[in-house]
Amino acid sequence: MKSSVRSDEPLLYRPAFVAAAEPPSGARARVRFAGFVLFTALGGDAWQSLLGWPAFIALVVGLTIACAVVLVRSHRLSPVRWTRCSKPLAAFLVLCTGSLLWSQYTGATALGVTAQWLAAIAGVTLAVTLTWLEILRALGVALRWLLGLSLLFEVYVGTIIRQPLHALWLFSGGQGVPPEYEWSSAELLNGGPIQGIVGNRNLLAFLALLALIVFAIEGVERTRGAVNSIFWLAVALLAHSLTRSATVLMATVGVAFVLLIALLIRRVPVHKRLVIYPFGILGLAGVAYATITLSDQLFPLLGRGDDLTGRVDIWNTVLNLAWQHPVFGWGWVSYWAPWVEPFKGLIVIDGTEYLQAHNAWVDLFLQLGFVGVFVFGCLIAATTVRCWWMAVDPTPSATVGGRPAPYQAIALLPLLLLAALVIQSLTESRLLVEGNFLLLVLLATKVKLDPLPLGPPPRAVVG
């Protein structure tokens, strides 16, 4: 996929170390590398199903080493003031690492901490070395491949194989494979639900939600051709609808409401905004209440139970366990390690052993106690505030041609991505691991280092 960078691209779109003139091939290389990193992180389940865990771990370690090399080289060209990076993020990583001292399963904690740092290094690298426009393009590249391959994969399974396909690396030992471990359930011709290359309807639906955000902003900024943008928006909508994911449908409604409030606030003078904010908060509460109230009718229509597919029972079980170590928790582990207590056989539903609490905040309480919930909450709060001001409050002194700098669609990107991540964290623990945590690190770091992409938007069209 081609990309280009205009020579007159505003400096605020560029990190300091690439502010000097560089060949377009350098920007293309950064976007392609970042796109592959994001593809691997967000589509990790696809690699695991295709290659198995050993090969996936080797791939992740290799990419992390490459990210570290890129980060060191960029720091040599233009040193980064690390004191300007997100302090709550640093505190959270230190807390995860420090939990080795009190962990009830030290070996599993060591693995979890290693995975956390690998994702953090990749996220920081992308934040430091990419411009906001390049982040948008890299996300677009990754999500196009993930959705495109997912639909092609489902077409192949539905029309050629015509029966459920199990992950290539999974051996059942003659006991049969639980339905949750089917790579594809071959339901495309029946109207879904489809699972895509990631092997899970909720994960694929969330990728489609991210794609809707990214593709829409690309279309408004005209960084891609109109036909191209419309086509990929249609692909994202198709994938979203075919997953029939109730939880991501809820997240989509929430993200749409956040977008609406941000666009309304942009039109309100600063001195009148304090009057508007309470209505926005009440509106969010209303959306949440309506979602819960309508769940009895909505979830069965989508093939789900009215208790978020057993999540309430999972939360109760995990919370009862968490209260045994409420201050600092049992110790960090990210994904539950099924070979150690207390995770061994902790949650088994219909023969499937679950490896997360299906709520990031419940998982935080279990693993890091009240302290972990507080530190991570500070990370989310600080990042949210910066994303919000970036979206609705351009710097008053910024001007273009003697006039105030216009609002840009790309300024909404961090806010909408973060909204999707946080809303999903109420029904999934993915915010704490792999691609979702990488995105959180990227956003938390970038909005602190380079908060406002102001100036005339680049209109470079990519093919």
Side-chain angles (χ1 to χ4, degrees):
M1 296 185 181
K2 299 178 181 178
S3 64
S4 60
V5 176
R6 282 179 26 159
S7 60
D8 60 342
E9 181 178 328
L11 197 61
L12 282 170
Y13 275 101
R14 296 169 173 262
F17 83 93
V18 294
E22 65 172 345
S25 59
R28 284 196 294 268
R30 282 201 307 276
V31 170
R32 288 170 179 168
F33 174 72
F36 185 65
V37 171
L38 290 168
F39 175 90
T40 301
L42 294 172
D45 295 80
W47 289 111
Q48 296 158 20
S49 297
L50 179 64
L51 304 176
W53 274 96
F56 174 66
I57 291 173
L59 174 62
V60 169
V61 171
L63 280 178
T64 305
I65 292 174
C67 286
V69 171
V70 171
L71 184 60
V72 170
R73 287 180 177 177
S74 69
H75 183 67
R76 288 177 179 174
L77 288 173
S78 181
V80 177
R81 292 174 56 189
W82 297 113
T83 54
R84 291 188 57 208
C85 291
S86 172
K87 293 177 178 61
L89 173 61
F92 177 69
L93 291 170
V94 169
L95 182 63
C96 290
T97 307
S99 70
L100 284 164
L101 299 176
W102 63 83
S103 173
Q104 307 298 308
Y105 31 76
T106 306
T109 295
L111 292 175
V113 168
T114 300
Q116 217 66 25
W117 277 100
L118 292 178
I121 290 171
V124 169
T125 299
L126 299 190
V128 170
T129 61
L130 297 180
T131 67
W132 278 111
L133 183 62
E134 288 167 350
I135 290 172
L136 178 69
R137 287 172 172 163
L139 280 167
V141 169
L143 291 168
R144 282 178 177 83
W145 278 104
L146 286 166
L147 294 188
L149 289 175
S150 289
L151 290 178
L152 289 175
F153 172 70
E154 290 290 351
V155 168
Y156 172 76
V157 175
T159 60
I160 304 300
I161 298 181
R162 299 185 181 181
Q163 62 181 2
L165 177 67
H166 300 307
L168 301 183
W169 62 270
L170 186 66
F171 296 95
S172 63
Q175 301 301 313
V177 182
E180 290 286 343
Y181 288 145
E182 288 177 350
W183 196 359
S184 172
S185 56
E187 292 290 337
L188 177 64
L189 298 183
N190 298 325
I194 65 171
Q195 298 164 224
I197 60 174
V198 292
N200 183 289
R201 72 159 93 175
N202 290 327
L203 299 186
L204 181 60
F206 186 71
L207 293 176
L209 173 56
L210 296 181
L212 288 173
I213 295 170
V214 171
F215 298 165
I217 292 176
E218 284 184 326
V220 175
E221 290 284 14
R222 285 182 276 169
T223 60
R224 303 189 72 87
V227 174
N228 188 297
S229 294
I230 293 172
F231 171 78
W232 282 106
L233 278 170
V235 168
L237 284 171
L238 177 63
H240 195 311
S241 62
L242 288 174
T243 60
R244 293 166 55 188
S245 170
T247 56
V248 178
L249 179 59
M250 294 160 52
T252 304
V253 173
V255 171
F257 185 79
V258 170
L259 172 62
L260 176 63
I261 294 299
L263 293 178
L264 289 175
I265 288 292
R266 281 183 169 191
R267 296 177 176 272
V268 176
V270 174
H271 65 279
K272 294 183 179 180
R273 289 180 178 177
L274 288 178
V275 179
I276 303 297
Y277 284 130
F279 291 99
I281 295 173
L282 289 174
L284 281 174
V287 170
Y289 176 78
T291 300
I292 295 172
T293 303
L294 295 175
S295 64
D296 288 345
Q297 293 79 34
L298 174 63
F299 279 46
L301 292 176
L302 297 172
R304 295 302 182 100
D306 60 4
D307 64 346
L308 293 171
T309 317
R311 282 173 170 81
V312 173
D313 292 334
I314 295 174
W315 298 340
N316 289 332
T317 299
V318 175
L319 287 173
N320 289 335
L321 187 64
W323 279 109
Q324 296 181 25
H325 300 278
V327 180
F328 288 101
W330 287 72
W332 185 252
V333 71
S334 66
Y335 281 124
W336 297 351
W339 61 88
V340 300
E341 297 293 345
F343 304 113
K344 188 175 182 180
L346 178 61
I347 304 290
V348 180
I349 301 176
D350 296 330
T352 298
E353 187 169 8
Y354 283 67
L355 303 181
Q356 58 158 312
H358 282 285
N359 182 298
W361 304 93
V362 172
D363 244 328
L364 279 167
F365 182 40
L366 171 68
Q367 299 180 39
L368 296 176
F370 285 121
V371 174
V373 172
F374 174 77
V375 172
F376 195 80
C378 289
L379 169 60
I380 295 298
T383 307
T384 299
V385 169
R386 293 188 181 104
C387 289
W388 177 257
W389 293 128
M390 175 174 163
V392 304
D393 197 30
T395 305
S397 61
T399 60
V400 177
R403 297 181 178 181
Y407 286 111
Q408 299 303 327
I410 197 172
L412 291 164
L413 178 68
L415 177 65
L416 299 182
L417 291 178
L418 184 64
L421 291 170
V422 173
I423 294 171
Q424 191 208 32
S425 74
L426 301 177
T427 53
E428 300 283 347
S429 298
R430 304 286 296 196
L431 181 58
L432 306 177
V433 297
E434 293 184 354
N436 288 22
F437 183 71
L438 187 155
L439 275 182
L440 176 61
V441 171
L442 189 161
L443 294 175
T445 304
K446 189 65 175 175
V447 295
K448 183 75 181 293
L449 292 176
D450 186 16
L452 287 170
L454 296 176
R459 300 303 190 190
V461 176
V462 290

